[in-house]
Amino acid sequence: MPDSLDLDVDLDLRLVRYFTVVADHLHFGRAAAALHIAQPSLSRQIHRLEQQLGARLLDRTPQGSRLTEAGEAFLPRARALLRSAAQAAAVTRAAAQASRITIGYTGNLIVTPAVRQMRHGYPDSDVGTLHLAWSDARPALLEHRVDAVVTRLPFPTGQLHVAVLYDEPRVLLVPVDHRLAGKESVTLDDIADEPMPKFSDADFNAYWRVDPRPDGRRAPDGPLIQAMEDKLELIAGGQAVSFAPASVQGRLRPDLTAVPVEGIDPLQVVLATRRQERSRLAAAFRRSAEAHLTGWEGS
């Protein structure tokens, strides 16, 4: 093994991408069609890459092609190289667009006061907003579709900086003719036998159903749902009850009502940004959010 890395290798990323496509198809003809280039040209490009690396990456067979041992070793590194290049391009574009910021927000959260302050304080900057699904908060940040997100915990926070803005109580959604409708408040004991909709995400499921309960009992299972509209329809139809943020009050369909819940932790509304974010506008929005997003409307 060499004592040091050969720093003189000058890889063409276009050729690296061609190789990964051939590796995906294991057939030069199908790979050439996917790349919209002629097969002889693709063969020449792969040969050029092999010359740059000093190793044969693919063997042709009667059935198509197969990776050599060197090709098997290079493939995961080739994919990582392409991902790194794409991320470098995205970060560079973001830095070049320092006069732009996009604020993401999730269901029933209002960011308008902080956004208006940003537009007033930075009139020459482009301050935009984008509504996101709860599950899209982290991907949207890491893919640089947004630069900050106002959302609720819990959600995956790896590679993010998260700051709590305020607490928001939880309420119980029930149909207007439910036995608990109109009560001043309810506890977990009041709904011990009430089915609650299930979600596909385990952490989201456990948190929003308070499952298991503090005494170890499991929350009764209602149907599995994929969308908020499905949940509301189940509740209105008398098939389940569900916890929700207190801010849904005043925005409910007429056949549903919300009852305050005692004895469970409030929600935490947070501001999330990329961990290594250095944008002056992101820092400015953080200050604006901390100053202007301090509680839900009913608090």
Side-chain angles (χ1 to χ4, degrees):
M1 180 178 294
D3 292 335
S4 62
L5 293 174
D6 183 357
L7 300 180
D8 295 329
V9 176
D10 185 13
L11 290 181
D12 185 331
L13 289 180
R14 181 174 58 94
L15 304 185
V16 174
R17 184 171 72 88
Y18 285 175
F19 164 71
T20 62
V21 175
V22 176
D24 287 338
H25 290 83
L26 292 179
H27 191 284
F28 272 81
R30 289 194 289 271
L35 290 165
H36 304 291
I37 62 175
Q39 182 174 333
S41 175
L42 178 59
S43 296
R44 289 193 297 271
Q45 304 304 335
I46 295 300
H47 181 62
R48 282 184 56 203
L49 178 62
E50 291 174 329
Q51 288 181 317
Q52 291 178 3
L53 291 169
R56 193 175 73 258
L57 301 174
L58 291 147
D59 283 334
R60 291 182 181 268
T61 71
Q63 292 75 33
S65 301
R66 61 185 175 88
L67 293 170
T68 64
E69 186 173 347
E72 294 278 6
F74 181 59
L75 181 58
R77 293 163 177 81
R79 297 195 195 283
L81 183 61
L82 293 173
R83 285 195 301 270
S84 179
Q87 184 178 23
V91 170
T92 301
R93 284 194 295 268
Q97 298 174 347
S99 62
R100 297 180 57 189
I101 184 171
T102 301
I103 311 303
Y105 63 100
T106 59
N108 291 317
L109 290 175
I110 295 175
V111 296
T112 310
V115 171
R116 289 186 66 177
Q117 176 61 33
M118 282 289 294
R119 289 172 178 157
H120 177 75
Y122 296 85
D124 296 329
S125 297
D126 180 4
V127 181
T129 57
L130 181 66
H131 183 265
L132 299 168
W134 167 84
S135 59
D136 201 29
R138 181 172 181 268
L141 280 167
L142 297 185
E143 294 166 12
H144 290 256
R145 287 185 277 128
V146 298
D147 304 291
V149 173
V150 177
T151 187
R152 298 179 181 89
L153 292 174
F155 69 99
T157 58
Q159 303 178 58
L160 303 182
H161 177 271
V162 176
V164 176
L165 295 174
Y166 59 87
D167 289 344
E168 179 181 6
R170 283 190 267 187
V171 296
L172 182 73
L173 295 186
V174 297
V176 292
D177 59 354
H178 192 274
R179 62 184 177 84
L180 298 175
K183 290 182 68 69
E184 288 189 8
S185 65
V186 295
T187 67
L188 290 174
D189 288 338
D190 292 324
I191 57 169
D193 299 320
E194 295 277 358
M196 306 196 88
K198 294 189 298 182
F199 307 89
S200 56
D201 183 273
D203 291 337
F204 193 82
N205 204 42
Y207 184 81
W208 280 98
R209 287 159 44 89
V210 190
D211 187 21
R213 302 288 163 79
D215 61 5
R217 289 181 298 174
R218 303 306 302 261
D221 285 342
L224 179 68
I225 62 169
Q226 300 297 330
M228 177 62 66
E229 290 74 14
D230 295 331
K231 181 175 83 167
L232 299 180
E233 184 61 33
L234 285 171
I235 298 169
Q239 294 180 270
V241 300
S242 182
F243 296 119
S247 56
V248 302
Q249 298 177 83
R251 300 184 178 92
L252 287 174
R253 44 191 277 180
D255 51 1
L256 296 178
T257 189
V259 184
V261 182
E262 295 182 357
I264 61 174
D265 293 335
L267 305 169
Q268 289 189 310
V269 176
V270 300
L271 173 65
T273 54
R274 291 178 287 273
R275 187 174 293 163
Q276 302 303 323
E277 182 62 66
R278 296 292 183 266
S279 162
R280 66 185 179 92
L281 290 181
F285 182 74
R286 186 179 303 117
R287 294 191 296 270
S288 183
E290 290 171 348
H292 296 282
L293 306 183
T294 57
W296 66 286
E297 291 179 331
S299 60

Short mmCIF file of all heavy atoms in Angstrom, two decimals, residues 238-270:
data_model
loop_
_atom_site.label_atom_id
_atom_site.label_comp_id
_atom_site.label_asym_id
_atom_site.label_seq_id
_atom_site.Cartn_x
_atom_site.Cartn_y
_atom_site.Cartn_z
N GLY A 238 -66.84 9.68 14.61
CA GLY A 238 -66.97 8.98 15.89
C GLY A 238 -66.11 7.74 16.02
O GLY A 238 -66.30 6.96 16.95
N GLN A 239 -65.10 7.58 15.14
CA GLN A 239 -64.26 6.38 15.19
C GLN A 239 -63.02 6.56 16.04
O GLN A 239 -62.33 5.58 16.34
CB GLN A 239 -63.84 5.98 13.77
CG GLN A 239 -64.97 5.53 12.88
CD GLN A 239 -64.45 5.17 11.50
OE1 GLN A 239 -64.37 6.00 10.60
NE2 GLN A 239 -64.09 3.92 11.34
N ALA A 240 -62.70 7.79 16.43
CA ALA A 240 -61.48 8.04 17.20
C ALA A 240 -61.53 9.44 17.79
O ALA A 240 -62.37 10.26 17.41
CB ALA A 240 -60.25 7.88 16.30
N VAL A 241 -60.62 9.68 18.74
CA VAL A 241 -60.34 11.03 19.22
C VAL A 241 -58.84 11.24 19.03
O VAL A 241 -58.09 10.29 18.81
CB VAL A 241 -60.73 11.22 20.71
CG1 VAL A 241 -62.22 10.97 20.91
CG2 VAL A 241 -59.90 10.30 21.61
N SER A 242 -58.39 12.48 19.10
CA SER A 242 -56.96 12.70 18.86
C SER A 242 -56.51 13.99 19.52
O SER A 242 -57.28 14.96 19.62
CB SER A 242 -56.68 12.77 17.36
OG SER A 242 -55.30 12.95 17.12
N PHE A 243 -55.24 14.00 19.94
CA PHE A 243 -54.64 15.23 20.45
C PHE A 243 -54.27 16.13 19.27
O PHE A 243 -54.00 15.66 18.16
CB PHE A 243 -53.40 14.93 21.28
CG PHE A 243 -53.68 14.13 22.52
CD1 PHE A 243 -53.10 12.88 22.70
CD2 PHE A 243 -54.53 14.61 23.50
CE1 PHE A 243 -53.36 12.14 23.83
CE2 PHE A 243 -54.79 13.88 24.64
CZ PHE A 243 -54.21 12.63 24.80
N ALA A 244 -54.22 17.44 19.53
CA ALA A 244 -53.86 18.42 18.51
C ALA A 244 -53.28 19.65 19.20
O ALA A 244 -53.48 19.85 20.39
CB ALA A 244 -55.09 18.79 17.68
N PRO A 245 -52.57 20.48 18.46
CA PRO A 245 -52.09 21.75 19.03
C PRO A 245 -53.27 22.66 19.37
O PRO A 245 -54.29 22.67 18.67
CB PRO A 245 -51.25 22.35 17.90
CG PRO A 245 -50.98 21.23 16.95
CD PRO A 245 -52.13 20.30 17.07
N ALA A 246 -53.12 23.44 20.42
CA ALA A 246 -54.20 24.34 20.82
C ALA A 246 -54.53 25.36 19.73
O ALA A 246 -55.65 25.86 19.66
CB ALA A 246 -53.82 25.06 22.11
N SER A 247 -53.57 25.64 18.86
CA SER A 247 -53.79 26.64 17.81
C SER A 247 -54.80 26.21 16.76
O SER A 247 -55.19 27.03 15.92
CB SER A 247 -52.46 27.00 17.13
OG SER A 247 -51.83 25.84 16.61
N VAL A 248 -55.25 24.94 16.80
CA VAL A 248 -56.27 24.52 15.83
C VAL A 248 -57.63 25.14 16.18
O VAL A 248 -58.52 25.19 15.33
CB VAL A 248 -56.42 22.98 15.75
CG1 VAL A 248 -55.11 22.33 15.39
CG2 VAL A 248 -56.98 22.41 17.05
N GLN A 249 -57.80 25.59 17.41
CA GLN A 249 -59.08 26.18 17.82
C GLN A 249 -59.37 27.42 16.97
O GLN A 249 -58.50 28.25 16.76
CB GLN A 249 -59.04 26.54 19.30
CG GLN A 249 -58.84 25.31 20.20
CD GLN A 249 -58.74 25.68 21.66
OE1 GLN A 249 -59.74 25.87 22.33
NE2 GLN A 249 -57.52 25.81 22.16
N GLY A 250 -60.60 27.50 16.50
CA GLY A 250 -60.97 28.60 15.61
C GLY A 250 -60.77 28.25 14.15
O GLY A 250 -61.21 29.00 13.27
N ARG A 251 -60.09 27.11 13.88
CA ARG A 251 -59.88 26.69 12.49
C ARG A 251 -60.51 25.32 12.22
O ARG A 251 -60.23 24.70 11.21
CB ARG A 251 -58.40 26.63 12.17
CG ARG A 251 -57.66 27.96 12.35
CD ARG A 251 -56.21 27.83 11.90
NE ARG A 251 -55.48 29.07 12.01
CZ ARG A 251 -54.78 29.44 13.07
NH1 ARG A 251 -54.70 28.63 14.11
NH2 ARG A 251 -54.14 30.60 13.11
N LEU A 252 -61.33 24.85 13.15
CA LEU A 252 -61.88 23.50 13.03
C LEU A 252 -63.12 23.48 12.14
O LEU A 252 -63.87 24.46 12.06
CB LEU A 252 -62.25 22.97 14.41
CG LEU A 252 -61.10 22.57 15.34
CD1 LEU A 252 -61.65 22.21 16.70
CD2 LEU A 252 -60.31 21.41 14.74
N ARG A 253 -63.35 22.34 11.50
CA ARG A 253 -64.61 22.15 10.77
C ARG A 253 -65.76 22.15 11.78
O ARG A 253 -65.56 21.82 12.96
CB ARG A 253 -64.56 20.87 9.94
CG ARG A 253 -63.98 19.68 10.66
CD ARG A 253 -63.70 18.52 9.74
NE ARG A 253 -64.91 17.71 9.49
CZ ARG A 253 -64.93 16.64 8.72
NH1 ARG A 253 -63.82 16.25 8.09
NH2 ARG A 253 -66.04 15.96 8.55
N PRO A 254 -66.96 22.49 11.37
CA PRO A 254 -68.06 22.71 12.33
C PRO A 254 -68.52 21.47 13.09
O PRO A 254 -69.19 21.62 14.12
CB PRO A 254 -69.19 23.27 11.46
CG PRO A 254 -68.85 22.85 10.07
CD PRO A 254 -67.36 22.83 10.00
N ASP A 255 -68.17 20.27 12.63
CA ASP A 255 -68.61 19.06 13.35
C ASP A 255 -67.58 18.57 14.36
O ASP A 255 -67.73 17.49 14.93
CB ASP A 255 -68.97 17.94 12.36
CG ASP A 255 -67.87 17.69 11.33
OD1 ASP A 255 -66.83 18.37 11.38
OD2 ASP A 255 -68.07 16.81 10.47
N LEU A 256 -66.54 19.38 14.61
CA LEU A 256 -65.52 19.02 15.59
C LEU A 256 -65.39 20.11 16.64
O LEU A 256 -65.69 21.28 16.38
CB LEU A 256 -64.15 18.83 14.91
CG LEU A 256 -64.02 17.70 13.90
CD1 LEU A 256 -62.62 17.70 13.31
CD2 LEU A 256 -64.33 16.35 14.54
N THR A 257 -64.93 19.73 17.82
CA THR A 257 -64.64 20.70 18.87
C THR A 257 -63.38 20.27 19.61
O THR A 257 -62.97 19.10 19.55
CB THR A 257 -65.83 20.83 19.85
OG1 THR A 257 -65.59 21.93 20.73
CG2 THR A 257 -66.02 19.56 20.67
N ALA A 258 -62.76 21.22 20.29
CA ALA A 258 -61.51 20.97 21.01
C ALA A 258 -61.73 21.15 22.51
O ALA A 258 -62.39 22.10 22.94
CB ALA A 258 -60.42 21.92 20.53
N VAL A 259 -61.16 20.22 23.30
CA VAL A 259 -61.27 20.26 24.75
C VAL A 259 -59.87 20.34 25.35
O VAL A 259 -59.00 19.54 24.97
CB VAL A 259 -61.99 19.00 25.27
CG1 VAL A 259 -62.20 19.11 26.78
CG2 VAL A 259 -63.31 18.78 24.55
N PRO A 260 -59.57 21.28 26.25
CA PRO A 260 -58.24 21.34 26.88
C PRO A 260 -57.90 20.03 27.58
O PRO A 260 -58.78 19.34 28.11
CB PRO A 260 -58.38 22.49 27.88
CG PRO A 260 -59.50 23.34 27.33
CD PRO A 260 -60.46 22.36 26.70
N VAL A 261 -56.61 19.69 27.58
CA VAL A 261 -56.14 18.45 28.20
C VAL A 261 -55.22 18.80 29.36
O VAL A 261 -54.31 19.62 29.22
CB VAL A 261 -55.40 17.56 27.19
CG1 VAL A 261 -54.96 16.26 27.84
CG2 VAL A 261 -56.27 17.28 25.97
N GLU A 262 -55.46 18.16 30.50
CA GLU A 262 -54.60 18.34 31.67
C GLU A 262 -53.71 17.11 31.83
O GLU A 262 -54.09 15.99 31.47
CB GLU A 262 -55.44 18.51 32.93
CG GLU A 262 -56.28 19.79 32.95
CD GLU A 262 -57.06 19.92 34.25
OE1 GLU A 262 -57.00 19.00 35.09
OE2 GLU A 262 -57.75 20.94 34.42
N GLY A 263 -52.52 17.34 32.39
CA GLY A 263 -51.67 16.21 32.78
C GLY A 263 -50.75 15.70 31.70
O GLY A 263 -50.12 14.64 31.89
N ILE A 264 -50.62 16.39 30.57
CA ILE A 264 -49.63 15.99 29.56
C ILE A 264 -48.78 17.20 29.21
O ILE A 264 -49.21 18.35 29.34
CB ILE A 264 -50.27 15.40 28.29
CG1 ILE A 264 -51.17 16.42 27.59
CG2 ILE A 264 -51.04 14.14 28.60
CD1 ILE A 264 -51.70 15.92 26.25
N ASP A 265 -47.56 16.93 28.77
CA ASP A 265 -46.63 18.02 28.46
C ASP A 265 -47.13 18.83 27.27
O ASP A 265 -47.75 18.28 26.34
CB ASP A 265 -45.25 17.46 28.13
CG ASP A 265 -44.58 16.82 29.34
OD1 ASP A 265 -44.93 17.22 30.47
OD2 ASP A 265 -43.73 15.94 29.15
N PRO A 266 -46.86 20.13 27.27
CA PRO A 266 -47.22 20.94 26.10
C PRO A 266 -46.32 20.62 24.92
O PRO A 266 -45.25 19.99 25.07
CB PRO A 266 -47.00 22.37 26.59
CG PRO A 266 -45.92 22.23 27.63
CD PRO A 266 -46.18 20.92 28.31
N LEU A 267 -46.71 21.08 23.76
CA LEU A 267 -45.87 20.99 22.57
C LEU A 267 -44.79 22.05 22.65
O LEU A 267 -44.95 23.07 23.32
CB LEU A 267 -46.71 21.24 21.31
CG LEU A 267 -47.93 20.36 21.11
CD1 LEU A 267 -48.79 20.91 19.98
CD2 LEU A 267 -47.50 18.94 20.81
N GLN A 268 -43.68 21.80 21.96
CA GLN A 268 -42.63 22.81 21.87
C GLN A 268 -42.52 23.27 20.41
O GLN A 268 -42.27 22.47 19.51
CB GLN A 268 -41.28 22.25 22.34
CG GLN A 268 -41.23 22.04 23.85
CD GLN A 268 -39.84 21.69 24.32
OE1 GLN A 268 -39.19 20.80 23.78
NE2 GLN A 268 -39.39 22.39 25.35
N VAL A 269 -42.76 24.55 20.20
CA VAL A 269 -42.58 25.16 18.89
C VAL A 269 -41.14 25.65 18.80
O VAL A 269 -40.65 26.34 19.71
CB VAL A 269 -43.56 26.32 18.67
CG1 VAL A 269 -43.31 27.01 17.34
CG2 VAL A 269 -45.00 25.79 18.74
N VAL A 270 -40.46 25.27 17.72
CA VAL A 270 -39.01 25.51 17.64
C VAL A 270 -38.65 26.17 16.31
O VAL A 270 -39.41 26.13 15.33
CB VAL A 270 -38.21 24.19 17.77
CG1 VAL A 270 -38.50 23.53 19.11
CG2 VAL A 270 -38.52 23.24 16.62
#
